[in-house]
Each structure stands twice: as C-alpha cells, then as structure tokens.
Amino acid sequence: MNAIAPLGPTAVPISPYLGDVCVLGLGATGRAVATYLLELGPTRVRSVTVVGGKKSQEGPLAQELRDAGACVLVGTEDLLGTYDLAVVSPGISEFSDFFANAKAHAHEVIGEPEFAWRESPERWIGITGTNGKTTTTSLACELLKSSGIGAVAVGNIGTNVVTQIAERDPQTWFVAELSSFQLATTSKLHPRVACLLNVTPDHGEWHKTFENYLAAKEKIFANLDEGDLAILDVDDPHCAALARQLDDRGLVVCRVSASQIPDSPCRAYVDDGLLVVELIGERYELVAVSDLRIEGPHNVANGLAASAAALFAGASVKGVRQGLKAFAPLEHRIEPVATIDGVRYINDSKATNTDAVVTALRAFEPGRVILLAGGHDKGGQLDEFVDAIKASCKATVTYGEASDRFFEALSGQGLATLLQAPHMAEALTIAKNLAVPGDVVLLSPACSSYDEFSGFEERGRRFKELVLTLDLDQPGH
C-alpha cells in the first residue's frame, strides 16, 4: 500500500497571525493553550487573555500566566473587549452562558484540538466513540511504534496536543482521542484517518440532546476527502447508517465488525478466529483472537479498528502483529487485578455508563460474574443493563447513590443473588464471600464516582488496593 500523500508543508500553521486571543478556562487545557500562545511571541500573537470562569480563583497558576504576559481574570465568565479568536476548554458546554459570552466577543470560538490541528496539521489520526476510544487510541499508537513509525497519543487521553507541537518530529503521527466535547468545537479539523467506534446516549448535561451528541461525534468525518480513510464499527447501528452516508460522499470507508464479515471492499473482521484487514485491494492476515491480551468482543473490534488505522498510516504487517500480541489492558478498562483462590478480580472503573457495563459483561463466561455496580447515578435507561446482568451474572451487588435505583430495577428479574452495600469496599467484601473458584468479581460501576471518589481513576486504584491487600474484613471507604 502506498504511503499517504501529505496535506501540505509540514508544521506550517493554517493561521500564521492570531492577533488577540482569549482562552476560556483555567484548568489543564487553559494553561496549556495559554502557555503555547505566550511562547509564540508578538509576530503571531498580540495579546493573551485568560478568563477562568465563575469557580476559578486566584492562585499560583493565575500568577504564573500573568508573569508570562497574559491578562488573567478569575471568578468571572465576563469577557472584556473583542478578540480575533477564543479557545475554549472542553468542560465548557457550547450551550452555556460562558460559551455564549465568548461568541459575542470573539470572531471565532474553537476548542484545543481544533487549534492544535491548525498549528500542526500533518499526520493526524482521530478516534472517537462513546466507549473504547482510549484503548483504540493507545493501541493504534503502539502499532505504529511497533512498525518503527513515530507516534504520540494525544487529546482526551490526557495529553493536550499543544504541549507536543514544539517537539514534534515532522514524520510523527498524532493519534488523537477526541471526545464529543472537543469535536463539537471543530470546524477545519482534518485527520487523515478518522474512526468512530460506537454511539450510545451519554453526556446529556453537556449536549442537551442525543441528536447534538451524535452530531458532535459525526464531525470527526466532516473534512475528510477521497484520499483519507473513515473507519466505523458497523455492529453499531448509528455507525452503519453513517457509513452509508460517507459512501455517498465518495470517501474510502473501512467497515469494522467483530461479529460478521462486512459486505464492503474495505473492511476489518474476524475470519475463522483470525483478525483480518482489507484495505485498498490488499488483504492483511494479522493474529488470532486468542493471541490478544485484551478481552471481549468489543476489544476485538477495537483491535481491528486500530490495525486498519495503523496500516493505512504506513505500519508494517509484522509491526502490527507484534503490537497486537504485546498490547496489555489499560488501567481501569477490564484490567486484570489478581487471581485469588481461583477467583479473578477485574477493574473496569472506567465503565461510567450502562452501555460500557453491557460491553464488559460480554467478555466473560455467562453465569460466573459477580458484578459490583454503583456510584453517582447518571440517570440513564436501564433496560439493556438489566438484560445483560440477567444473562451474565451469578450475583450483583449494588452500592452508593445509585444502589436503590439499580436494586429496584433488578428486583423480580429472577437473579439468584442481588444484594446491597453502602460503599464499594463493602460491596467487594460481599463479592469475595460469594465467589468460588472460576468466578469473576467485576467492578464495572455504570456510574461516575463523585459520590465517593474524585474520579474513576481513584475508584479503580482503591479497588485494586483492596484486592491486593486482601484487607476485606475491615474495609475503608
């Protein structure tokens, strides 16, 4: 397969002169963008103003940016003056008053990935989806590296893209995990490979409607042309419908499926237990499903999508095979913690919605799972969640703020064992006492963690501490 033709001269910004720029938000993204702008100098930037938002406060960061030359406003969402550009942090909804203020005072309002792409537009792979995008982003990056190709995982995965631009080698790929928040504020973003894994209702508080959420996800394909690759998992009905629309645009569309062989000249699928990718007339036989260290049909699909992206970007078959075999589960994503007395303990703390739990349950033998579910309730529909638990779980222990609603939905459904606990630690104690050799104790909460923890990361690490220390008789929380 031929190498992809470049978009244009490497590292030449789309907008050489930026003028007066306002940055919304004083968190990690705001700091990264403001710092980048201040380092550009007066030939490209006339002024940098940072507006922290109502909850922002004076502190070392505000003073650091002032010392570097920025005007910093804290405790407010009010913008003063007129700006050529506003760069908004992803936590600020496009339907918020703060965002509206920016639109009223700036000629254009964009997010950090859009800004970063304009600054360094070459060699981008964009990956999004309600679930699985972090694993797929990390894996695609590793497959490129295994082939001797420079790659950096950036975006929603935790690394602001602007922090990587200055040191980026011209041949290095940005493999960008893009959230719906980030995609909603794009207009010119043009990855050479764009991937949509799945779309299920999420983040209603930010997008207001599912239609807005879906539209944000679809923007990842907005600027693709016939020289690019669109990758969609057609086991998801929204993705399957969108694939047909992209066909009508004349794009090259790779259909991914872990359950069937798509009827398409460009596809990625499983054939007799083997991962196969077909791109532009070439067939690549990769590794057996059993060779993967990441479990479950959803991770087979993630592996297929990542392989298609990497191969299109120039990865070798040998490198992809090596990378697929070596890639280990990411922390908090169906992560094996330990096997104790024949019982496997799995940390899936990243499962913050019911769809992620449904996916996780498919990775294990039906009837052997003891599920720990609970936390801060997002209030989503529970029908598929209940059906999946009925089909897969030996027992379920609900806990936290969501415990009563989950317990009520599962009661009367014929479950052999359904119990409640006040907190995650007590739920784990119950699960340990129920488990016998061959069982799986799965933390897959279906909720955010803010009733008990600072985030899913703290929740997952606490779970692992409890498992590894076996301090289960006197659990803390």
Side-chain angles (χ1 to χ4, degrees):
M1 185 166 55
N2 295 329
I4 303 173
L7 272 172
T10 300
V12 174
I14 299 297
S15 304
Y17 183 68
L18 297 168
D20 297 309
V21 185
C22 183
V23 179
L24 274 63
L26 196 54
T29 298
R31 177 182 189 175
V33 173
T35 300
Y36 178 86
L37 289 164
L38 290 165
E39 291 174 349
L40 292 179
T43 58
R44 294 197 60 207
V45 178
R46 182 163 51 198
S47 70
V48 177
T49 300
V50 181
V51 183
K54 289 181 179 178
K55 295 182 179 180
S56 62
Q57 298 177 349
E58 292 290 353
L61 176 54
Q63 191 57 49
E64 171 192 319
L65 294 176
R66 288 193 185 104
D67 291 343
C71 172
V72 182
L73 306 176
V74 298
T76 183
E77 295 181 354
D78 294 331
L79 280 67
L80 305 175
T82 301
Y83 302 93
D84 298 289
L85 180 69
V87 183
V88 59
S89 298
I92 301 169
S93 169
E94 62 179 327
F95 301 102
S96 67
D97 292 340
F98 199 2
F99 196 97
N101 289 342
K103 290 181 69 174
H105 288 266
H107 294 300
E108 187 177 20
V109 182
I110 61 175
E112 185 263 346
E114 169 78 13
F115 175 67
W117 181 85
R118 295 183 187 190
E119 290 293 291
S120 187
E122 287 282 356
R123 293 179 175 81
W124 280 61
I125 294 171
I127 296 170
T128 195
T130 304
N131 298 303
K133 54 186 177 291
T134 300
T135 295
T136 305
T137 298
S138 300
L139 180 51
C141 189
E142 290 304 313
L143 298 182
L144 289 168
K145 290 180 179 179
S146 295
S147 300
I149 297 172
V152 181
V154 293
N156 193 60
I157 202 167
T159 302
N160 289 112
V161 195
V162 292
T163 65
Q164 303 299 308
I165 291 173
E167 60 193 59
R168 184 187 190 189
D169 182 273
Q171 301 304 311
T172 294
W173 284 84
F174 278 161
V175 186
E177 177 187 332
L178 299 171
S179 72
S180 58
F181 302 168
Q182 294 169 323
L183 286 167
T185 51
T186 60
S187 59
K188 297 179 181 178
L189 177 73
H190 183 172
R192 305 315 307 272
V193 182
C195 175
L196 178 60
L197 299 166
N198 46 65
V199 186
T200 54
D202 204 3
H203 301 304
E205 73 285 355
W206 200 99
H207 293 283
K208 305 305 180 185
T209 68
F210 176 68
E211 288 72 23
N212 290 337
Y213 176 62
L214 180 61
K217 290 292 190 186
E218 292 179 356
K219 288 183 78 172
I220 197 169
F221 302 110
N223 296 309
L224 265 61
D225 58 36
E226 62 276 5
D228 305 319
L229 179 68
I231 302 173
L232 299 100
D233 186 339
V234 293
D235 288 338
D236 179 279
H238 295 291
C239 292
L242 181 56
R244 293 188 289 271
Q245 297 175 30
L246 299 180
D247 285 337
D248 293 340
R249 281 176 49 189
L251 300 183
V252 179
V253 179
C254 179
R255 287 167 164 82
V256 173
S257 175
S259 64
Q260 59 183 312
I261 300 179
D263 183 15
S264 174
C266 187
R267 54 192 178 177
Y269 56 93
V270 178
D271 186 10
D272 195 25
L274 189 70
L275 273 67
V276 178
V277 174
E278 296 181 26
L279 289 178
I280 315 177
E282 297 285 343
R283 175 183 166 91
Y284 304 95
E285 295 186 352
L286 301 175
V287 301
V289 171
S290 59
D291 288 330
L292 299 175
R293 298 172 63 186
I294 48 179
E295 298 187 79
H298 67 292
N299 273 326
V300 174
N302 293 340
L304 289 166
S307 297
L311 288 165
F312 189 81
S316 66
V317 176
K318 180 181 178 181
V320 171
R321 288 172 179 160
Q322 290 176 342
L324 287 170
K325 290 180 178 179
F327 188 75
L330 299 179
E331 189 176 22
H332 313 304
R333 294 160 178 85
I334 314 187
E335 175 195 10
V337 179
T339 300
I340 301 170
D341 296 331
V343 178
R344 297 171 64 198
Y345 291 83
I346 306 293
N347 168 30
D348 192 37
S349 182
K350 183 62 171 66
T352 58
N353 56 56
T354 57
D355 295 290
V357 179
V358 171
T359 297
L361 289 173
R362 294 179 183 139
F364 303 101
E365 179 184 349
R368 302 309 301 262
V369 177
I370 301 173
L371 175 68
L372 311 185
H376 178 66
D377 194 356
K378 287 187 172 182
Q381 294 295 316
L382 299 180
D383 292 347
E384 291 185 23
F385 176 68
V386 170
D387 290 343
I389 290 174
K390 288 166 57 179
S392 298
C393 291
K394 168 183 176 178
T396 300
V397 186
T398 67
Y399 69 89
E401 287 181 4
S403 180
D404 289 345
R405 191 168 84 99
F406 285 3
F407 189 90
E408 182 179 351
L410 291 164
S411 297
Q413 297 294 327
L415 298 179
T417 303
L418 175 63
L419 298 167
Q420 287 185 282
H423 303 95
M424 183 191 72
E426 289 90 345
L428 179 55
T429 299
I430 293 170
K432 172 182 177 286
N433 293 332
L434 291 172
V436 299
D439 286 348
V440 174
V441 174
L442 172 65
L443 173 69
S444 194
C447 295
S448 65
S449 59
Y450 302 124
D451 61 334
E452 191 175 354
F453 303 101
S454 62
F456 73 84
E457 298 93 342
E458 183 190 356
R459 174 173 60 191
R461 287 170 188 151
R462 179 60 179 150
F463 175 78
K464 291 192 290 183
E465 289 172 1
L466 289 167
V467 170
L468 293 175
T469 61
L470 294 180
D471 184 19
L472 304 178
D473 295 324
Q474 300 288 332
H477 54 266

